[in-house]
Amino acid sequence: MTQLRLDPDRIVKFLQTKTLGREIVRLDSVDSTNSECKRRSSEKEGLLVLSEEQTAGRGRFGRTWASPKGKGIWMSLLLKPDLPLPNIPQLTLVGAAAVYRGLEKEADYFSGQIKIKWPNDIWISNKKIGGILTEMQTGAGSVQSVILGIGLNINLAKEDFPPELRTAATSLFLEKGELFEREIIIANILNEFERFYLEFLVQRKLGEALTVCRENSAVIGKKVKVSDQEMGIEARVIDLGPQGELLVKMNNGKLASIISGEISLQIQG
Ligand code: BTN
């Protein structure tokens, strides 16, 4: 079942969406599904690009994303939101909430253990199981398209991870000792994403997606180091603000709000 090639018809069978995933491109191999989606960005909103493997999968900050064949969900969604540029990073939180719900629905065994590490990591048992990479194309000062890439370690065994990731990363298979059907998880994520996305577009507020990110946050209450390219500060995370920004109290007692952008976050305790 699970080691077979991804079957788009089976995804469609579980889809309840209007637009997302109604056009699916399934590939055996590609450099990166985000790059492929970008090459197809003249196509309609909702296009889903899936690949069994990525030869140049990438994460945030130009990191490599290990994407072995047939073992994970390596997918990208083409979005054409009517949103101003500053709202685009919030789509990562919409994606994180959808992944959370999609996983929770299929794997209730993990209930209470799935956490969102703001803004884009999904964790189980304190290890990274997935991540989201949001990229956009702009033109004439406005957003032309957004590519939301989701990587999820589903059926990877220990040896499928590069040695340097084996302690920090995990998969559903490693956590439960069972193989999972990728198609159902993909459909669950798209179903959840479309609801949250439409709410966000109509109300320009994160709404339920924000509640999911808050209630299942890996960082609220934690001491963290917040870094950009130049410097890092230590702080305690107080909450997520209404726009999904991170609200922190710095060591000097001052409050600050941080929007995701090029920020990385390390949990310190
Ligand atoms: C991160 O945690 O840094 C984000 C990882 C995002 C990985 C996914 S896999 C599908 C899509 N294609 C890519 O090249 N990256 C994203």
Side-chain angles (χ1 to χ4, degrees):
M1 169 180 86
T2 34
Q3 301 294 13
L4 298 177
R5 301 162 82 216
L6 279 164
D7 176 2
D9 290 340
R10 192 149 168 79
I11 298 173
V12 170
K13 194 173 152 207
F14 294 102
L15 271 187
Q16 294 153 2
T17 58
K18 227 170 149 230
T19 31
L20 301 188
R22 291 294 165 187
E23 204 59 58
I24 300 179
V25 173
R26 196 211 67 90
L27 303 161
D28 278 326
S29 182
V30 74
D31 50 356
S32 147
T33 55
N34 267 33
S35 304
E36 182 61 25
C37 209
K38 186 172 171 192
R39 293 190 281 271
R40 293 172 180 265
S41 59
S42 60
E43 296 186 30
K44 281 211 282 268
E45 176 167 66
L47 171 75
L48 177 69
V49 177
L50 299 164
S51 185
E52 297 292 351
E53 76 170 350
Q54 300 184 109
T55 54
R58 55 177 189 273
R60 289 173 88 217
F61 314 112
R63 292 184 190 130
T64 300
W65 184 261
S67 323
K69 195 161 202 138
K71 301 285 179 115
I73 293 175
W74 326 125
M75 69 180 195
S76 302
L77 262 177
L78 176 63
L79 304 174
K80 305 211 166 164
D82 180 16
L83 288 173
L85 212 135
N87 288 114
I88 302 304
Q90 292 169 295
L91 289 172
T92 302
L93 297 185
V94 176
V99 170
Y100 173 90
R101 281 276 174 84
L103 284 178
E104 188 196 36
K105 204 163 172 191
E106 182 51 18
D108 58 358
Y109 172 82
F110 297 112
S111 172
Q113 291 179 59
I114 310 170
K115 298 282 171 207
I116 300 171
K117 182 184 164 248
W118 184 93
N120 76 310
D121 279 5
I122 309 295
W123 283 16
I124 290 186
S125 321
N126 288 325
K127 292 183 175 185
K128 183 159 171 167
I129 198 145
I132 295 161
L133 179 68
T134 307
E135 297 179 313
M136 67 176 161
Q137 293 166 287
T138 54
S142 69
V143 178
Q144 311 269 290
S145 63
V146 174
I147 291 156
L148 192 104
I150 297 175
L152 278 175
N153 304 326
I154 306 292
N155 293 323
L156 284 80
K158 258 280 180 272
E159 60 274 14
D160 294 320
F161 288 96
E164 67 278 11
L165 292 183
R166 286 179 193 164
T167 47
T170 192
S171 69
L172 293 187
F173 169 71
L174 283 174
E175 293 301 312
K176 191 163 183 216
E178 252 176 40
L179 296 173
F180 283 79
E181 191 177 348
R182 291 175 293 166
E183 286 87 343
I184 299 180
I185 298 176
I186 293 170
N188 285 347
I189 293 172
L190 297 188
N191 293 339
E192 298 293 334
F193 188 88
E194 190 169 277
R195 271 192 324 111
F196 293 150
Y197 179 59
L198 292 179
E199 184 183 15
F200 183 48
L201 290 185
V202 172
Q203 303 192 1
R204 295 278 168 103
K205 279 193 187 144
L206 285 167
E208 197 182 336
L210 181 59
T211 307
V212 172
C213 290
R214 266 204 189 113
E215 287 180 351
N216 303 289
S217 168
V219 299
I220 293 175
K222 297 273 165 62
K223 267 177 77 181
V224 295
K225 186 168 179 194
V226 184
S227 316
D228 64 12
Q229 265 103 337
E230 279 147 32
M231 54 177 271
I233 55 158
E234 291 186 352
R236 188 170 289 278
V237 180
I238 308 294
D239 199 359
L240 299 184
Q243 308 299 323
E245 70 279 25
L246 200 67
L247 303 176
V248 300
K249 190 173 193 176
M250 294 186 292
N251 283 349
N252 63 10
K254 288 199 174 140
L255 295 177
S257 96
I258 296 166
I259 45 172
S260 66
E262 290 296 293
I263 292 289
S264 81
L265 203 66
Q266 277 170 280
I267 299 181
Q268 306 201 304

